[in-house]
Amino acid sequence: MSYEVTATRRRPQQFGDLVGQEFVAETLKNSIKSGKIAHAYLFSGPRGCGKTSTARILAKALNCQNGPTDQPCGQCSTCQEITKGTSLDVIEIDGASNTSVENIRQIKDEVLFPPSNSKYKIYIIDEVHMLSTSAFNALLKTIEEPPPYVIFIFATTELQKVPATIKSRCQQYNFRLVAVDKVKQCLADAAAELGIQADDEALFWIARESTGSMRDAYTLFDQVVAFSDGHITYEKIRDKLGLVGIDRLNTVFEACAQNRTADVVGLLDEFLQAGVSIEQLISNSADYLRSLLLIKNGVKKESLLGNSAERYSSIVLGAWNTVQIERALSLFLQLYRDIRYSLSPRYELELAFSRLCWLGNYVSNAEVKKAIDAAQGLLMNGDMGGKFAEANLVRSQSDRLECPPGGRIETTAVHSNVQSAAVVSTGSTTGSAETAQSQQTPAGMNPIPAGMPRLSMLDELIAKEQAGISDDDTGDPGSPGEGAGGEGENANPFHNGGPLPPEQSVAATQNLQNAQTEGSNAGSAELDERLKLHIPQENVTDEGQVVPTMDIPLSETGYTENPDAEEGEAGWSNMEAPPDDDYYPAEPDFSSQAEQLYEGAEASENQGQQNAAPVQLQDTLTIANGQTISVAQLRGQITAALAITDGFAASNVEKTGLWVVTEDSINTTVETAYDLSLIEKKKNVIAAELSNTCGRQMKFNVTLKAAEPQKTAAPVEIPVQVSILVNAFKGTIVAGRM
C-alpha cells in the first residue's frame, strides 16, 4: 500500500473526530436528528481547522444508506465513495479555478436533474470567496430556492470577501483555531500509531509552530519524523531545522544580563556560522523574551511557555524586571520589521543584542514619574534635615494623627521664617512633629529617598540635624547663624529658595493666618507689609456718590514712600512734584503754556471789553472732599473713575493732551479729528465725572490741536558720480536717495 501522509490518514470521518470544533459538530448533529436540514451552509475559519472535512462528514451523514443520521456508518458504498471523492452525487468544486459565470451556469443546469443513487445532490465549493461578482450574482437565485434534493456547502478562509447577499441565504458556522494542548495530544496519538517515540518538548514545539492548524501540525510532524530515526527530540529539531534552542538562548541572554558585550557578539557569530538564519534567531529570541515576561507575571503554564518554567535562566529573570523585559521584547518585534529594509540585517541584530547589554539601566517613564513623586518633598522643602522628615512624616503617617473625619493634612510653604508647617484643617495632632520624627526616623537614617542624587553638603547637613547641631558657627542649636541662610562657609544652600512670586506669597500669608486663627501650632510669620493696602471706610458725597479713598503713608516731605527704595535713592513712587532729573523731568509750567494756548481766544473775547477781568488759570484745585490736588492728579482720578463706569470714556481721556484748568472748565486738545469725534460723544459723561469730583459744575472743552508748519528741507546736492549712474541706468532720485 502506498504511503499516506498523516493529515490525510487522520482526516476526521465522524462528527466526534473533529478537534476543537465542538460547537459546529453538536449543532449539525442536532439539526440532522430533528430533520431541520438547511439548503445552504457557509463554513468559515482559518486554514487547516476542518472546514472541508466537516463538509464531507455532513454529506455522508445525509446520503448514508442508514440515514440521514448523525453517525454515518462509513461502511456502505455511498460513505466509501464520498470518502474517496468518487461519488457522483457529491460534487467538490475548487472556487479558485472555477471563478467565471460559465461555471456557475453549468451548476444551474445540473441541479435540474435529481441525484443518481443518493438522497441529496450536494455541491461543496471550496474557497468560495474567489468567485467573481458575476458568478456570485448568477448563484443567488439558485441557492435561495434550490430543488429539495440539492444542498450547497461553501467553505472560505476570508469571510469578509463573501457578499452579504450570499451570507444571508446560508447558515454560517465559524471554525476556530485548535488549542496547543489538543494539537499536542493529536500528535502524540499519531506518533503512537506509527510506533515512534516522541518527547513532550518536541511535540510542544511542533504544536506551537502550527499556530492552531491541525493540517500544518501534521505536515510538520511528517517532516520531523523523516529525520528523527524513530525518536523525536527537541535537540534533533533544533540542529536539523536551524533553531537556536532554549539552552543557547539562556547562554546568550545571560551574557547580555551580565553586560558581557564581547561574549554576546562571539555567540552570535557562532550561531550564524552554524547555519541559523537571522530571521529565525530574531523569532526565537522574541519567543524567549515572551516566555520570560509570562514567567515574571506568574504564568507557569507549559503550553504557553513551550517549555517548563524551570528551563529558563534564573540569572536573566533576576537581572531584569518586567518593564525591562517588555522593552526588550518590543525591541525584537521592531527589529523583525526593520531588517527587510536594512543595509545589513546582521548589523541590526548585533546592535539589538548590544542594547540588551545595558538593558539593566533602562528606566521607563512610569519609574521616572515615581522618582519625581518621591522627590517632591525634597524639592518643596528648603531645610534638608528635620523639616523634610517632618513633611514626609505628616504625609506618610497621616493615619496616626488624630484628625476627625473630613479633615486633611496640608503642607504649606511660607515665604518667611517658617519654611514648612503641617497644618490640620480641622482638628489637631497629638504630640509634636519632632517626637513623631524621632519615633519614625532612627539616628543615622538618611531622609533622602532611595535613588536620589547624593551631595556631600547635604550629607553634612543631615548629620548635623540628626545630631542636634545648628549650622551656625557658634554651635547653638537655637540661634540662627550663618548656616541658617547666611553667607558663611557652612551656609545651608537650601535654607531659603529666594523670594516667591506675589501670588504665592499672598497664598502663603493667607494659609498662615488661617492656621493661627484655628489654633494650629505651625508658628507665626512676619507678614509682608508691602502687600497690604489700608482702605478706610468709603466716603459718600452730598450727591450720594461713593468716593473711595486710600490711606497711603507719606514721608516727611509729604511724598509717598517707596518701600523697595535702597539707601541713597530718591525714595518716592507717586508725588505731586517728581525730582528734577534726567529720568523724571520736571512738571511743565501749566500757566505759561495756558497763556500761549488761549492768547488768541482772550484777545478776541476781550475786544471791546478792555475793563473785563482776565481769565484765571490754575495749577492746583480743591476737590469735593476738601483735598488740594494737582491737575495731573485730577486727570488720573477722572481716568480711574471712568475706567470702572465707562471704559470708552476713560480711553478717550487718555488721548487728550495738556489739561488747562480754569474756575469752571477744563480745556484740552486732541491730535486727530477722529479722536475729537469720539470724545465729543463722551463729553457729557466726562463733564459729569469732573463735576462730581470737583464738587461744582465743570465744563470739558476739547479742540483739535493746530498742526505745526513743516520746515522745508534744504535741497541736497547730488554728487556728479551719482548723476552719471542715474543717467546710465535711467534711475531717479527721491529725497537725495537712489
Side-chain angles (χ1 to χ4, degrees):
M1 183 177 179
S2 62
Y3 172 75
E4 191 175 15
V5 297
T6 305
T8 304
R9 187 181 71 253
R10 292 185 57 83
R11 181 187 289 271
Q13 302 299 326
Q14 300 284 340
F15 287 115
D17 297 337
L18 294 173
V19 180
Q21 313 301 335
E22 291 78 8
F23 168 75
V24 176
E26 290 298 325
T27 304
L28 292 177
K29 288 169 63 177
N30 292 334
S31 64
I32 293 173
K33 288 179 183 180
S34 61
K36 299 177 180 178
I37 301 172
H39 61 274
Y41 295 89
L42 177 60
F43 296 161
S44 63
R47 68 184 189 279
C49 59
K51 299 184 295 296
T52 306
S53 298
T54 304
R56 291 181 179 180
I57 295 172
L58 179 60
K60 287 192 294 184
L62 295 176
N63 287 338
C64 181
Q65 294 180 359
N66 300 327
T69 176
D70 61 329
Q71 294 182 354
C73 65
Q75 303 298 326
C76 62
S77 60
T78 304
C79 292
Q80 291 181 358
E81 289 176 358
I82 295 174
T83 302
K84 295 177 183 179
T86 59
S87 176
L88 298 177
D89 297 324
V90 178
I91 302 98
E92 293 191 26
I93 301 174
D94 181 16
S97 57
N98 298 275
T99 60
S100 65
V101 67
E102 296 297 332
N103 302 116
I104 301 302
R105 287 174 180 173
Q106 182 180 354
I107 296 176
K108 294 176 64 177
D109 295 337
E110 291 178 355
V111 298
L112 299 178
F113 301 95
S116 59
N117 56 359
S118 301
K119 297 181 178 65
Y120 295 96
K121 179 178 283 190
I122 300 175
Y123 287 90
I124 301 176
I125 303 179
D126 200 4
E127 301 299 332
V128 71
H129 65 274
M130 299 294 292
L131 295 180
S132 63
T133 303
S134 300
F136 274 123
N137 293 334
L139 194 61
L140 288 178
K141 188 63 176 178
T142 304
I143 65 173
E144 184 176 9
E145 296 179 353
Y149 49 81
V150 175
I151 295 177
F152 290 96
I153 302 177
F154 302 137
T156 178
T157 55
E158 299 184 29
L159 182 63
Q160 71 278 3
K161 293 185 178 180
V162 179
T165 52
I166 298 293
K167 295 178 185 178
S168 63
R169 290 167 168 81
C170 304
Q171 283 191 7
Q172 300 183 37
Y173 292 87
N174 296 321
F175 287 70
R176 297 174 294 180
L177 292 172
V178 185
V180 176
D181 293 336
K182 295 181 179 180
V183 176
K184 185 254 182 186
Q185 184 60 43
C186 293
L187 294 175
D189 296 340
E193 290 179 0
L194 297 175
I196 298 175
Q197 185 179 358
D199 294 346
D200 288 343
E201 185 178 0
L203 295 180
F204 265 125
W205 182 86
I206 297 174
R208 290 182 61 199
E209 289 296 316
S210 66
T211 62
S213 173
M214 286 302 306
R215 183 171 59 233
D216 292 357
Y218 285 136
T219 303
L220 185 57
F221 173 79
D222 289 340
Q223 182 181 0
V224 172
V225 169
F227 61 74
S228 295
D229 296 331
H231 187 193
I232 303 176
T233 62
Y234 182 74
E235 287 73 17
K236 292 180 181 179
I237 296 175
R238 180 194 65 190
D239 297 335
K240 299 298 181 179
L241 298 182
L243 306 179
V244 183
I246 188 172
D247 297 331
R248 295 178 180 177
L249 290 174
N250 282 335
T251 303
V252 68
F253 277 95
E254 284 178 1
C256 292
Q258 296 171 355
N259 199 12
R260 294 186 282 115
T261 308
D263 296 341
V264 172
V265 176
L267 290 172
L268 292 179
D269 183 65
E270 291 180 6
F271 298 158
L272 298 179
Q273 292 296 333
V276 179
S277 65
I278 294 178
E279 293 81 1
Q280 188 65 48
L281 181 55
I282 296 173
S283 177
N284 294 150
S285 299
D287 291 338
Y288 181 85
L289 291 170
R290 169 186 174 271
S291 300
L292 292 182
L293 185 60
L294 293 177
I295 295 174
K296 274 287 189 179
N297 288 279
V299 178
K300 301 295 180 66
K301 190 176 180 180
E302 190 172 354
S303 61
L304 290 176
L305 301 178
N307 297 280
S308 61
E310 291 75 14
R311 294 203 59 183
Y312 293 89
S313 174
S314 59
I315 297 177
V316 181
L317 289 171
W320 295 338
N321 57 30
T322 303
V323 177
Q324 292 167 345
I325 296 177
E326 288 179 356
R327 173 65 176 175
L329 180 57
S330 65
L331 182 67
F332 274 88
L333 294 177
Q334 183 62 38
L335 175 63
Y336 191 83
R337 293 189 288 265
D338 293 343
I339 57 174
R340 68 179 68 181
Y341 306 110
S342 175
L343 173 66
S344 173
R346 177 165 182 166
Y347 296 169
E348 298 280 355
L349 179 67
E350 292 173 347
L351 177 61
F353 274 95
S354 177
R355 289 174 176 173
L356 290 184
C357 292
W358 53 266
L359 185 64
N361 298 327
Y362 173 75
V363 180
S364 65
N365 295 336
E367 292 174 318
V368 172
K369 182 180 182 302
K370 290 181 180 179
I372 294 176
D373 293 341
Q376 185 178 5
L378 177 66
L379 300 175
M380 290 178 60
N381 293 278
D383 194 344
M384 293 297 301
K387 301 293 179 60
F388 177 74
E390 177 182 346
N392 278 345
L393 176 65
V394 173
R395 183 167 54 252
S396 63
Q397 302 295 334
S398 60
D399 55 338
R400 298 191 179 185
L401 300 176
E402 294 183 359
C403 181
R408 67 181 187 277
I409 298 176
E410 299 177 354
T411 302
T412 306
V414 182
H415 174 55
S416 185
N417 296 332
V418 180
Q419 294 292 330
S420 177
V423 180
V424 182
S425 298
T426 57
S428 60
T429 62
T430 60
S432 63
E434 290 77 13
T435 304
Q437 176 188 348
S438 63
Q439 295 175 356
Q440 294 299 123
T441 307
M445 178 180 292
N446 190 350
I448 299 178
M452 292 298 297
R454 299 183 60 85
L455 300 176
S456 58
M457 64 176 69
L458 303 184
D459 294 337
E460 296 175 1
L461 294 173
I462 294 167
K464 289 182 180 181
E465 285 286 346
Q466 293 175 347
I469 302 175
S470 176
D471 292 331
D472 58 352
D473 297 333
T474 60
D476 184 8
S479 61
E482 286 183 323
E487 300 178 356
E489 183 178 357
N490 299 324
N492 184 351
F494 299 100
H495 173 72
N496 191 344
L500 296 175
E503 60 273 19
Q504 297 185 13
S505 302
V506 174
T509 303
Q510 184 64 32
N511 290 337
L512 183 60
Q513 291 177 351
N514 295 338
Q516 291 175 348
T517 56
E518 295 176 5
S520 173
N521 56 0
S524 60
E526 192 174 312
L527 300 179
D528 193 349
E529 292 294 336
R530 291 174 294 177
L531 298 176
K532 286 188 173 182
L533 292 177
H534 303 282
I535 301 177
Q537 185 67 26
E538 297 176 338
N539 301 324
V540 181
T541 62
D542 297 338
E543 291 79 3
Q545 183 179 4
V546 177
V547 181
T549 59
M550 186 177 296
D551 185 11
I552 303 176
L554 303 178
S555 63
E556 295 179 356
T557 59
Y559 304 148
T560 58
E561 296 179 349
N562 180 11
D564 292 329
E566 298 181 359
E567 184 178 358
E569 294 184 356
W572 68 276
S573 60
N574 180 22
M575 56 183 174
E576 299 177 2
D580 189 8
D581 54 18
D582 295 337
Y583 187 77
Y584 300 104
E587 186 174 346
D589 187 1
F590 293 101
S591 56
S592 61
Q593 295 185 20
E595 291 176 357
Q596 297 176 4
L597 288 173
Y598 294 98
E599 183 176 356
E602 291 177 1
S604 59
E605 290 178 1
N606 294 333
Q607 186 176 5
Q609 300 178 0
Q610 298 295 331
N611 297 329
V615 178
Q616 298 294 327
L617 302 180
Q618 302 179 8
D619 293 339
T620 62
L621 73 161
T622 302
I623 59 178
N625 59 3
Q627 183 180 0
T628 301
I629 61 175
S630 65
V631 178
Q633 289 177 335
L634 174 64
R635 176 174 175 171
Q637 288 190 14
I638 297 301
T639 304
L642 291 175
I644 299 174
T645 58
D646 194 332
F648 289 104
S651 63
N652 291 331
V653 170
E654 288 290 334
K655 296 178 182 179
T656 59
L658 182 67
W659 282 26
V660 178
V661 181
T662 62
E663 183 64 26
D664 59 350
S665 65
I666 301 293
N667 304 303
T668 184
T669 59
V670 290
E671 296 287 341
T672 64
Y674 177 73
D675 293 337
L676 180 61
S677 63
L678 292 179
I679 203 169
E680 286 290 341
K681 298 179 181 179
K682 299 293 182 180
K683 183 176 180 180
N684 295 333
V685 177
I686 300 173
E689 187 63 35
L690 280 171
S691 303
N692 188 28
T693 302
C694 297
R696 59 184 182 276
Q697 187 67 27
M698 297 290 291
K699 298 179 181 179
F700 188 69
N701 303 319
V702 184
T703 58
L704 185 62
K705 184 177 180 180
E708 297 181 359
Q710 296 182 353
K711 298 181 179 180
T712 304
V716 179
E717 183 179 356
I718 303 175
V720 179
Q721 296 85 347
V722 176
S723 300
I724 295 174
L725 290 175
V726 170
N727 295 330
F729 293 100
K730 305 301 180 181
T732 57
I733 298 179
V734 179
R737 296 182 181 181
M738 290 289 294

